[in-house]
Amino acid sequence: MKARPPPRSMTTTLKAKPRVSYDCSKCPAYCCSIYERVEVTPRDLRRLARHFGLTLEAAEERFTKRYNDERILRRQSDPVLGRVCRFLDLTTRGCTIYEARPEVCRDYPGRSRCGYYDVLQFERETQDDPDVMPLVQITFRSRTPAG
Ligand code: SF4
Ligand code: SF4
């Protein structure tokens, strides 16, 4: 298990697979957007390469980029949420590499509740609109500014 995750990243911090009270099929895939960095480990890269029948080098070049000492998934523009993972289907809002997705995606959110799903449900009930989609932006900071 890693120490506290750096901001704006989806990392392998939580491993438990509890019973869940959220339904990803009713969500626009907020978690595939909000994290600017989705970590790709060497094992993830091997899985991706195998999935696409590519060499490791080709998969690395095509699907990932570096962020400092980290390898992360590339992203794409999305008319709904702005920027999202390159593997998100922009129409169905599903993961196009579900069986080959990185470990962090398999683990997320790692607890029985999803914060965004709670907001989504709350607003759909409050607005009495089963399709309304709250656009929530989270700004991460490493520490509380002095003041
Ligand atoms: S934000 Fe939550 S409910 Fe939506 S896809 Fe991600 S884990 Fe599922
Ligand atoms: S690999 Fe799939 S589950 Fe992971 S962030 Fe991308 S679209 Fe979402």
Side-chain angles (χ1 to χ4, degrees):
M1 182 185 291
K2 284 190 169 182
R4 193 165 162 242
R8 297 190 300 277
S9 74
M10 206 193 268
T11 56
T12 50
T13 51
L14 295 159
K15 290 287 186 186
K17 297 204 185 293
R19 272 192 308 180
V20 299
S21 57
Y22 53 88
D23 182 351
C24 298
S25 70
K26 296 179 180 167
C27 174
Y30 183 72
C31 58
C32 302
S33 165
I34 191 66
Y35 298 103
E36 293 173 10
R37 303 185 339 254
V38 175
E39 181 187 34
V40 179
T41 65
R43 187 176 178 208
D44 293 328
L45 190 60
R46 286 196 296 276
R47 195 189 295 111
L48 265 179
R50 198 165 51 241
H51 180 77
F52 286 100
L54 295 171
T55 63
L56 284 178
E57 293 73 21
E60 186 176 62
E61 169 65 24
R62 196 175 299 180
F63 306 132
T64 75
K65 63 179 185 179
R66 290 210 74 82
Y67 179 89
N68 296 333
D69 59 351
E70 204 178 357
R71 186 151 292 285
I72 60 175
L73 287 182
R74 292 184 183 273
R75 286 162 65 84
Q76 61 178 326
S77 295
D78 172 36
V80 178
L81 295 172
R83 298 283 295 168
V84 295
C85 172
R86 76 173 310 286
F87 288 118
L88 185 71
D89 185 310
L90 303 185
T91 304
T92 67
R93 314 306 294 180
C95 177
T96 58
I97 55 159
Y98 192 76
E99 297 303 326
R101 69 199 189 285
E103 197 66 30
V104 289
C105 304
R106 295 162 190 271
D107 290 341
Y108 191 87
R111 49 177 65 88
S112 62
R113 305 197 74 87
C114 168
Y116 180 74
Y117 192 75
D118 285 345
V119 173
L120 185 68
Q121 289 300 95
F122 177 85
E123 288 302 339
R124 285 179 175 175
E125 286 170 22
T126 302
Q127 310 292 334
D128 195 21
D129 180 349
D131 297 319
V132 80
M133 196 172 56
L135 295 180
V136 180
Q137 186 162 17
I138 301 175
T139 301
F140 294 96
R141 287 204 177 117
S142 305
R143 64 182 69 178
T144 307

